[in-house]
Amino acid sequence: MTTTPVEPEALEAAFEATIARHDRIEPRDWMPDAYRRTLVRQMAQHAHSEIIGMQPEGAWIGRAPSLRRKAILLAKVQDEAGHGLYLYSACETLGVSRAELTELLLTGRQKYSSIFNYPTLSYADVGTIGWLVDGAAICNQVPLCRTSYGPYGRAMIRICKEESFHQRQGYELLMTMMRGTDAQREMVQESVNRFWWPSLMMFGPPDADSPNSARSMAWGVKRNSNDELRQKFVDMTVPQAEALGVTLPDPELRWNEERGHHDFGEPDWEELAAVIRGDGPCNAQRMAHRRAAHEDGAWVREAASAFAERAGAR
Amino acid sequence: MSADRREWPLYEVFVRGKRGLNHVHVGSLHAADDAMAVRHARDVYTRRNEGVSIWVVRADAITASSPDEKDPMFAPSGDKVYRHPTFYDIPDNVPHM
């Protein structure tokens, strides 16, 4: 079969035209190298976040207060593993291998979400993570269902369906504690106080300091700016906090009639930079745990390979 | 860190949502062999009753049309508008058409 050589300009134009009509780019389409690199970075970071994200809550599985709560928590942590796998396989359609991605995480050359470098000090944190952290993740992720790269969008649709369970189980857990004793209510408030600001940081730096944002938006990889999504999250969360009976630890938080949005204080961007740099409260612990899990699982992978080889030889 | 000597093969996963529907591609995963691929597919893609049947197939066993040949490959159907029912004008007063 003869194939006619295609001019690079024509390829680029076809790519731009697909983006312009809000159509999806699929794995075997031609795409600019920078688009591919941006996606690999974003999707890998997202996948790594799901995998590392199992740790903070996983720590409470053995200490869940009832069988019901334990079953819920197990299902949730299993979902996080599943989300990591959807995203890794979507990322691999861009020509990067699973082994490479694993290596990049384990050697710290690719990042994961800063939020997972905070500790889960009390059981209420399981609820707060579901409510605030997964709530912020949903804000970030729903627009990504319409991202321009097909496999990424499809993975996000599956993930978003499941995140809704995560958020609701967390909120329900907190509601149950708020109906309990004063000590339980204090636990919830203390937990919310610790997670509020890190949750706001999950949307990334302010737009003015987010150098890659504009290009990602032009390519349809990102659909909304960091600040837009942060505002949306604050507006969504305030009435939920009122219904729950907790306060959000921001003295500047108030409704602005003129803007039709809540005004809120500035997160500590120095803190975010430090956590991303590796100086958060749990960075070293999370990485050590992930590396140990990978190494401890090596014999299982080797045994499965050996078994498959022997079965194949028969 | 011990890098695995070789990666498990990639499988594409297809799930039949319920009786009466086709199997639909849902994603992919790595597994050491076919049996493990089915088991992993159950855990990764059907945690909430998403399916009643799973197919897995090694990704390297799939032959696909080339995106570069998109036009010549699909052009033959493009100019055969008479294959569609809307090509034919039938008066409105003719019933059940």
Side-chain angles (χ1 to χ4, degrees), chain A residues 260-282:
Chain A
H261 291 291
H262 292 86
D263 291 338
F264 56 98
E266 194 79 9
D268 180 354
W269 300 119
E270 299 273 312
E271 178 182 320
L272 177 64
V275 176
I276 292 174
R277 206 164 54 229
D279 297 332
C282 297

Side-chain angles (χ1 to χ4, degrees), chain A residues 279-296:
Chain A
D279 297 332
C282 297
N283 295 56
Q285 183 188 335
R286 300 292 184 232
M287 289 302 292
H289 185 92
R290 183 70 218 119
R291 282 191 200 107
H294 186 72
E295 278 159 28
D296 293 348

Side-chain angles (χ1 to χ4, degrees), chain A residues 206-226:
Chain A
D207 292 349
D209 303 326
S210 183
N212 300 323
S213 277
R215 198 167 59 168
S216 284
M217 285 182 60
W219 277 333
V221 172
K222 246 174 114 151
R223 292 290 187 188
N224 302 88
S225 82
N226 297 354

Side-chain angles (χ1 to χ4, degrees), chain B residues 7-86:
Chain B
E7 209 165 41
W8 287 346
L10 186 69
Y11 285 82
E12 298 298 335
V13 181
F14 301 78
V15 171
R16 183 199 294 286
K18 56 181 183 183
R19 289 174 177 278
L21 298 181
N22 287 322
H23 284 78
V24 174
H25 182 242
V26 293
S28 57
L29 51 76
H30 291 275
D33 58 27
D34 298 359
M36 184 195 261
V38 171
R39 212 163 297 168
H40 282 183
R42 182 201 62 184
D43 292 345
V44 178
Y45 292 106
T46 64
R47 286 194 302 283
R48 289 181 175 77
N49 301 318
E50 288 95 337
V52 295
S53 164
I54 295 173
W55 288 347
V56 294
V57 58
R58 275 183 65 149
D60 59 14
I62 293 178
T63 307
S65 63
S66 159
D68 303 343
E69 296 153 19
K70 194 167 70 187
D71 291 343
M73 182 84 170
F74 298 105
S77 78
D79 60 0
K80 293 180 178 60
V81 285
Y82 47 84
R83 286 176 172 173
H84 296 278
T86 47

Side-chain angles (χ1 to χ4, degrees), chain A residues 28 79 92 99 301 305 309, chain B residues 6-7 30 47-48 65:
Chain A
R28 301 175 73 217
D79 275 353
E92 287 174 76
R301 294 190 294 276
S305 294
E309 234 163 74
Chain B
R6 59 185 178 74
E7 209 165 41
H30 291 275
R47 286 194 302 283
R48 289 181 175 77
S65 63

